[in-house]
Amino acid sequence: MGTYRVAMLPGDGIGGDVLAAARRVLDAVGFKADYQYGDIGWEFWKAEGNPLPDRTVKLLKSTDVCLFGAITSKPKEEAAAELSPTLQGKGYSYASPIVGLRQLFDLHTNLRPCKAYPGNPLNLRDDIDLVVFRENTEGLYAGVEWHPIPDSVRQALRVHPKMKRFDDVSNEDMAISLRLITRKGCQRILRSAFEHAQAYNYKTVTVVEKANVIRETSGLMIREARKMAAEYPGIELWETNIDAMCMWLVKNPQNYGVLVATNLFGDIISDLAAQLVGGLGFAAAGNIGDEYAVFEPTHGSAPKYTGMNKVNPIATIQAARLMLDYLGEREKAAQMERAIARVVVEGKARTYDMGGTTTTTGMADAVIAALK
Ligand code: NAI
Ligand code: MG
């Protein structure tokens, strides 16, 4: 094992607390890394007009992988108002740095494992083991949107017979967000999902779309899924619609394994699946591309708990565990996961979200003790 170069981006609010907790667990499991801390988030937006400074992008490019805490993000008008007076009116506009990272590094796969650790009072049931693969760069989040609609776009859309119904709606009274899906985008996320199912012995991959109604985009995803499934004879492909899937996930979540979806549907089922197994204090994500990956808890900066040493660090410890898996440190990753499972089942250390009084550092101490 060599020494890995790991970028650490604590960000805002509780980001620093949870990242520090995860770092201590990584040290305790014997993971050797050269950690480089970088700037990201609201402070840098206010002071520099950029929440993702160029020096941070440069730092990431010099590392193997990134562990990210959380950032604060606010709507357009509030963001503009909080910008340093010397930068006001100079054309700075706020954009989410985490979305920026996904696009900049082409982190096409969003990986969200949602596994119930028995004994967690927040579990819907104890036998849930889901892994969501969400396409992270296109679909409805591609950012191709108009309001009002430019005349040229309006003109071009006339080729579609269904547009006739909207002939008397003005450009100003219409908004369009394009659900843009590519074959390559479908293939990349499906490949990640099937490879994961194979590597970790999941029997099924469920593709979650709505192909009976959204015929072209969902249709492309489903057809690509069928083609790819033929390459994995040991894995069964199940096809469901997003609305029914929400119902099934609440009714029989234990029946599913790997789930795969385009951007918006994947976003929706990720949060639903996370809540089945403990919610924000437990949910971690990997943003994985061909060259680089960023791991994070999925919660935000929870400003009201800043500096209180109160929130649950397990989500971030899980993010660190996913990072080890990505780096090929499977044994250390498994050791971390066993420690988390042990702490949960013993039930002695519980943060406030689990109904207890254990602190952030106290929870990290408990996980470290359970590594032995
Ligand atoms: P949030 O996730 O920061 O917090 C919502 C609530 O969830 C908290 O008040 C707390 O009760 C609970 N919570 C969050 N993390 C927890 C943890 N580790 N342990 C236990 N409980 C936890 O979401 P909110 O309040 O909507 O947003 C706060 C800020 O974070 C906003 O500026 C938002 O834009 C940003 N945000 C950033 C994200 C990111 O960095 N990836 C993701 C989501 C929100
Ligand atoms: Mg989401």
Side-chain angles (χ1 to χ4, degrees):
M1 189 194 81
T3 299
Y4 298 102
R5 291 162 303 169
V6 178
M8 298 287 262
L9 303 181
D12 303 306
I14 60 170
D17 283 2
V18 291
L19 213 60
R23 166 79 194 268
R24 287 178 50 223
V25 177
L26 285 167
D27 288 346
V29 80
F31 176 68
K32 297 274 182 290
D34 168 18
Y35 291 99
Q36 310 263 351
Y37 283 78
D39 299 335
I40 194 168
W42 200 246
E43 293 312 309
F44 305 96
W45 160 251
K46 287 200 292 188
E48 303 174 24
N50 185 0
L52 180 61
D54 293 343
R55 62 183 176 280
T56 303
V57 174
K58 208 169 144 207
L59 181 142
L60 297 192
K61 285 183 174 158
S62 75
T63 57
D64 299 311
V65 70
C66 170
L67 200 54
F68 163 69
I71 46 111
T72 294
S73 176
K74 298 184 189 178
K76 211 164 138 185
E77 291 75 20
E78 277 174 80
E82 287 192 34
L83 194 58
S84 142
T86 57
L87 299 176
Q88 300 258 350
K90 295 200 171 142
Y92 291 99
S93 82
Y94 181 82
S96 159
I98 183 73
V99 174
L101 283 179
R102 287 172 184 162
Q103 291 173 356
L104 204 59
F105 289 88
D106 197 16
L107 306 175
H108 48 76
T109 293
N110 192 297
L111 161 72
R112 289 270 295 258
C114 299
K115 182 171 175 178
Y117 295 100
N120 185 346
L122 300 172
N123 289 343
L124 184 76
R125 326 171 30 120
D126 278 354
D127 55 356
I128 301 169
D129 183 3
L130 300 165
V131 191
V132 180
F133 282 83
R134 161 191 169 192
E135 202 291 322
N136 220 9
T137 54
E138 50 183 50
L140 252 178
Y141 297 8
V144 185
E145 306 190 289
W146 296 277
H147 183 242
I149 318 290
D151 265 329
S152 54
V153 173
R154 198 66 197 265
Q155 240 5 79
L157 287 174
R158 291 225 155 86
V159 301
H160 201 291
K162 295 258 190 221
M163 280 305 288
K164 223 176 162 31
R165 249 177 354 111
F166 301 98
D167 267 353
D168 58 356
V169 182
S170 71
N171 288 353
E172 176 54 47
D173 289 342
M174 191 183 285
I176 293 177
S177 301
L178 201 65
R179 189 179 201 239
L180 198 158
I181 280 165
T182 68
R183 193 185 304 279
K184 181 178 164 199
C186 293
Q187 287 172 343
R188 294 199 297 196
I189 194 67
L190 288 161
R191 181 68 69 195
S192 302
F194 275 97
E195 284 296 309
H196 190 89
Q198 190 163 60
Y200 294 87
N201 297 314
Y202 288 90
K203 301 278 172 285
T204 60
V205 169
T206 303
V207 58
V208 185
E209 282 298 327
K210 185 80 185 180
N212 56 335
V213 179
I214 319 176
R215 310 187 83 86
E216 302 309 334
T217 45
S218 283
L220 180 60
M221 179 71 168
I222 296 276
R223 284 193 302 278
E224 290 303 320
R226 288 178 188 164
K227 268 193 258 168
M228 196 163 294
E231 295 177 38
Y232 298 84
I235 300 166
E236 224 179 292
L237 175 69
W238 291 354
E239 297 171 16
T240 61
N241 286 334
I242 175 67
D243 46 351
M245 193 66 208
C246 291
M247 178 193 70
W248 289 119
L249 278 179
V250 173
K251 195 158 187 246
N252 289 322
Q254 73 284 1
N255 290 354
Y256 296 89
V258 170
L259 310 179
V260 60
T262 51
N263 212 334
L264 171 67
F265 295 165
D267 198 6
I268 293 169
I269 52 172
S270 297
D271 277 20
L272 174 50
Q275 193 55 46
L276 302 175
V277 298
L280 288 177
F282 287 83
N287 301 277
I288 304 170
D290 293 338
E291 311 285 338
Y292 198 68
V294 177
F295 295 88
E296 53 164 339
T298 64
H299 61 71
S301 62
K304 69 180 175 201
Y305 295 126
T306 303
M308 289 174 65
N309 190 26
K310 179 168 168 131
V311 297
N312 193 344
I314 288 185
T316 313
I317 296 171
Q318 287 284 27
R321 196 261 300 175
L322 294 175
M323 178 182 86
L324 293 193
D325 248 337
Y326 167 82
L327 292 171
E329 296 287 345
R330 301 257 313 247
E331 190 37 54
K332 287 190 170 62
Q335 202 186 338
M336 272 172 74
E337 189 178 24
R338 284 194 300 271
I340 292 166
R342 191 174 306 161
V343 168
V344 172
V345 77
E346 282 174 359
K348 279 184 277 189
R350 282 185 175 172
T351 41
Y352 83 96
D353 52 318
M354 302 170 78
T357 55
T358 305
T359 60
T360 306
T361 45
M363 188 56 114
D365 291 338
V367 174
I368 290 166
L371 284 169
K372 315 264 148 54

